[in-house]
Amino acid sequence: MTTGAQIRKMVKPLLERHSDLAMVGRFMVVGPIHHLRRGIYLDYCRTPEMFNPRTVVDILIPPSDAGYLGRGDYLTDPGRGFWDATNPDAVQRFFDLLEDKILPRLRSTKTFDHYRVLTERYRASGDYYDRDRFFEMLIATAVGDFDLAQSIVEPLPDMQFYLAYLAPSFYPALLARDRAEIAKILHAWEAQTIKAYKLEKFWEPTPFPLELEVSK
């Protein structure tokens, strides 16, 4: 399989052209990071010289283990499927794909509303699971739509139980519309996820929409 060193050497010219890109392990992060983790994960293949990239867009709440990639799509090399890191033509095709189509799309995906649109695309394709309903509730909370968030979690005891495990004060704060407590929890969750993924140098802590609404 391709090693991390091989991947870093391969993408070096691309990173030199784009100051907002950096490699963290096999993850090409698009910075800066606010509430969304965006980038390309360059996965390995059994064939030594090949790699298998996929896009990544993920919210940073709740705390996430470093193995979870979030939403994304695999990028295939036409005619071959996987990409050959030792083939200059294949590497150039990969760079062209990123620069022409993938990076502009990732850079423009900045807000929770953008993430909602992405999620709706997956829902329309049938790729929608219980965890997505959980994330829908979290996003509603983060933007201050507490009525929607409560309507999602209220009939689901399992979700309430999981929230109590993650942060015992979250659901009571949601019921009480306690914006300060909810924001405190969300910021702590983001910090934990950022640390797990070793993305501290790219993170710019930013107020959640629910906080900005208060300040108006």
Side-chain angles (χ1 to χ4, degrees):
M1 66 180 181
T2 50
T3 66
Q6 288 174 311
I7 290 296
R8 288 190 294 274
K9 180 179 179 180
M10 182 192 73
V11 302
K12 184 179 178 181
L14 183 70
L15 269 56
E16 290 175 344
R17 293 200 294 270
H18 300 275
S19 61
D20 61 341
L21 302 181
M23 290 300 298
V24 180
R26 287 180 168 271
F27 182 59
M28 183 188 297
V29 57
V30 177
I33 299 174
H34 295 144
H35 299 303
L36 300 180
R37 180 170 60 96
R38 305 161 300 163
I40 312 292
Y41 185 76
L42 285 74
D43 206 352
Y44 63 87
C45 299
R46 292 185 181 274
T47 305
E49 70 274 10
M50 309 298 281
F51 66 98
N52 188 22
R54 58 157 289 181
T55 58
V56 173
V57 178
D58 190 26
I59 59 175
L60 301 173
I61 53 176
S64 177
D65 294 331
Y68 179 67
L69 290 178
R71 285 296 190 186
D73 300 296
Y74 282 101
L75 308 174
T76 58
D77 184 4
R80 292 209 65 181
F82 298 140
W83 301 81
D84 187 343
T86 65
N87 183 325
D89 290 337
V91 172
Q92 187 58 53
R93 287 197 302 275
F94 178 58
F95 287 178
D96 289 345
L97 173 63
L98 293 188
E99 292 180 310
D100 293 345
K101 296 182 179 180
I102 304 304
L103 290 175
R105 191 166 67 211
L106 289 173
R107 289 176 176 131
S108 66
T109 304
K110 299 179 178 180
T111 68
F112 287 115
D113 284 338
H114 293 152
Y115 185 82
R116 278 174 165 166
V117 171
L118 180 66
T119 300
E120 285 301 318
R121 177 165 67 84
Y122 287 103
R123 189 206 293 261
S125 69
D127 185 13
Y128 196 81
Y129 303 97
D130 289 345
R131 68 171 182 269
D132 297 304
R133 188 67 170 160
F134 179 64
F135 292 151
E136 184 181 351
M137 181 276 298
L138 290 176
I139 291 172
T141 302
V143 302
D145 191 346
F146 299 136
D147 289 339
L148 174 58
Q150 184 177 341
S151 73
I152 294 173
V153 69
E154 196 167 40
L156 299 173
D158 288 347
M159 189 180 293
Q160 295 175 35
F161 180 81
Y162 185 52
L163 283 170
Y165 165 75
L166 290 174
S169 62
F170 181 93
Y171 189 44
L174 175 62
L175 296 177
R177 306 302 194 255
D178 186 342
R179 291 174 179 266
E181 179 63 19
I182 292 171
K184 177 182 175 182
I185 294 169
L186 297 184
H187 283 297
W189 282 351
E190 278 198 344
Q192 288 178 255
T193 301
I194 288 292
K195 183 177 181 180
Y197 283 94
K198 300 179 180 179
L199 296 172
E200 293 95 330
K201 66 185 295 185
F202 312 106
W203 184 42
E204 297 177 357
T206 306
F208 285 89
L210 72 92
E211 297 174 274
L212 298 177
E213 185 174 329
V214 172
S215 65
K216 291 180 182 180

